[in-house]
Amino acid sequence: MAGYADGTPLDRVQYLEAKLILKPDNFTSVQAFRDFGKIVQRTAKKLGVGFIEDREAELRPQIREIIFGDTSDFRLYNNAFILRRRISYVDGFPVGDPEVVFKYRHPDEQKAAAVDVRPQIAGKYRIKFKAEALPLKDQVGGYRILYSHNCQFGLSQVHEGNRSSVTTLVKVFPALATLKKSDDEKIALVNEGIVEEVLLPLGELDFGKGIVAKCDISLWRTRGEHKSLVGEFAFQVKFDRKEDVAEKQKKLVAQFYVTLQNDVENWLALGVTKTAMVYRLKGNEPQSHE
């Protein structure tokens, strides 16, 4: 059986996250989030998918700050790696431990699995290997899959100094070793962009046989000028082994995802991801595997 250099078996996909990237124009108030949620509920009802509304759907949206780090020539992103930090805010103040997410995202499942994203840190971390469904790049009514091999941990779990150094980055994430060019390289904010994420939990979709997916809707905009970048509706299912998910449930999840695309066609932004929008902030079009 294939494994990593230390003999650990390769990680396997245990999440399906289905995303719809949305034009930001409609999201001028929290009511637009709830209006979209009503469409989701109607589509679910039409297909016999259960929906349990989240009590937080009637509360204020959550606010999170997100930044991406990369070399000046976007070497991480151009090689299918993504590095970001996320901070949650409550009543205007940061709360909790900032979360670091390091991921390798690629359309080839085996390639994504083979990259060892485990960090060399003394603290705790979590690995999540996801199949991410996105609409086709140029038309509504289908889907494509990206495989996202993620590692996440609290910033307090890293004790190395000089966190902006590529040398430090490679020490923490050995998977990046081949990308390092010199000892004095730095990573910096991608396009000097700080993203404010406004997120509202909508509820849970029940596809039967224990396949339940939390769903939410969010808007990404830049801090400062508050330029709206992109919206997103997403739902996520967790399972132990994808082979164990019943065929009927697989078909229902796919049917719901495709039907919802048709029901919200005017809202959709095709051919983009949230991360890509940040990398395009200054008009640069980096190469990507997305």
Side-chain angles (χ1 to χ4, degrees):
M1 185 178 175
Y4 300 112
D6 63 356
T8 304
L10 294 183
D11 295 322
R12 62 175 187 258
V13 172
Q14 291 190 300
Y15 296 85
L16 168 68
E17 186 172 23
K19 302 177 175 184
L20 293 181
I21 307 301
L22 309 171
K23 298 170 188 168
D25 320 39
N26 292 319
F27 299 113
T28 55
S29 73
V30 69
Q31 188 55 45
F33 282 175
R34 297 185 182 120
D35 291 345
F36 192 92
K38 293 288 189 290
I39 302 173
V40 172
Q41 289 185 49
R42 285 201 298 270
T43 303
K45 187 175 182 181
K46 182 165 61 177
L47 296 175
V49 175
F51 186 87
I52 305 139
E53 191 165 7
D54 194 309
R55 284 182 297 180
E56 289 189 33
E58 293 304 318
L59 302 178
R60 286 181 182 172
Q62 300 168 15
I63 303 292
R64 304 193 288 196
E65 177 188 282
I66 298 166
I67 60 170
F68 291 85
D70 207 334
T71 57
S72 59
D73 58 357
F74 298 156
R75 213 171 309 140
L76 271 67
Y77 190 62
N78 289 341
N79 287 278
F81 290 101
I82 294 169
L83 178 67
R84 75 164 192 235
R85 187 202 70 194
R86 183 165 62 194
I87 298 174
S88 294
Y89 281 75
V90 173
D91 295 331
F93 290 89
V95 293
D97 199 2
E99 179 190 65
V100 175
V101 176
F102 173 65
K103 63 176 75 173
Y104 181 81
R105 188 155 67 185
H106 201 279
D108 186 309
E109 181 179 358
Q110 291 308 311
K111 262 192 172 176
V115 174
D116 188 352
V117 295
R118 290 176 296 174
Q120 296 299 305
I121 59 174
K124 298 175 182 176
Y125 62 87
R126 290 179 68 193
I127 301 294
K128 289 184 176 180
F129 193 9
K130 302 180 181 184
E132 293 187 354
L134 289 165
L136 299 174
K137 291 187 177 183
D138 55 358
Q139 65 185 74
V140 172
Y143 59 89
R144 58 196 175 97
I145 301 289
L146 291 175
Y147 293 92
S148 186
H149 199 179
N150 298 11
C151 163
Q152 57 192 66
F153 52 85
L155 192 59
S156 66
Q157 304 299 301
V158 182
H159 305 300
E160 277 73 16
N162 196 5
R163 291 172 180 162
S164 65
S165 160
V166 171
T167 300
T168 301
L169 193 64
V170 168
K171 186 178 173 186
V172 174
F173 300 114
L176 295 175
T178 58
L179 302 187
K180 180 182 168 186
K181 287 184 177 176
S182 69
D183 287 340
D184 56 359
E185 280 189 291
K186 302 285 185 191
I187 58 165
L189 281 185
V190 170
N191 287 327
E192 300 171 359
I194 299 177
V195 172
E196 182 178 74
E197 179 183 53
V198 186
L199 180 139
L200 189 72
L202 294 176
E204 290 183 331
L205 295 159
D206 188 347
F207 295 98
K209 293 279 180 75
I211 301 300
V212 177
K214 287 187 175 180
C215 62
D216 56 48
I217 188 163
S218 61
L219 173 71
W220 277 26
R221 62 191 181 200
T222 57
R223 273 264 160 100
E225 64 269 38
H226 275 216
K227 176 187 175 186
S228 292
L229 298 176
V230 70
E232 181 187 81
F233 167 76
F235 65 89
Q236 180 172 277
V237 176
K238 187 179 188 304
F239 41 80
D240 187 43
R241 284 161 34 94
K242 61 183 178 182
E243 295 81 8
D244 295 339
V245 179
E247 206 57 41
K248 181 181 177 183
Q249 272 59 49
K250 285 181 184 174
K251 285 181 178 174
L252 187 55
V253 169
Q255 186 184 9
F256 172 77
Y257 183 60
V258 169
T259 304
L260 183 60
Q261 286 180 46
N262 289 309
D263 289 349
V264 299
E265 183 172 358
N266 292 336
W267 299 65
L268 294 180
L270 297 177
V272 298
T273 65
K274 292 181 302 184
T275 303
M277 292 300 289
V278 176
Y279 273 86
R280 291 178 189 172
L281 270 175
K282 293 192 173 178
N284 304 326
E285 186 63 51
Q287 175 191 345
S288 85
H289 297 76
E290 303 188 339

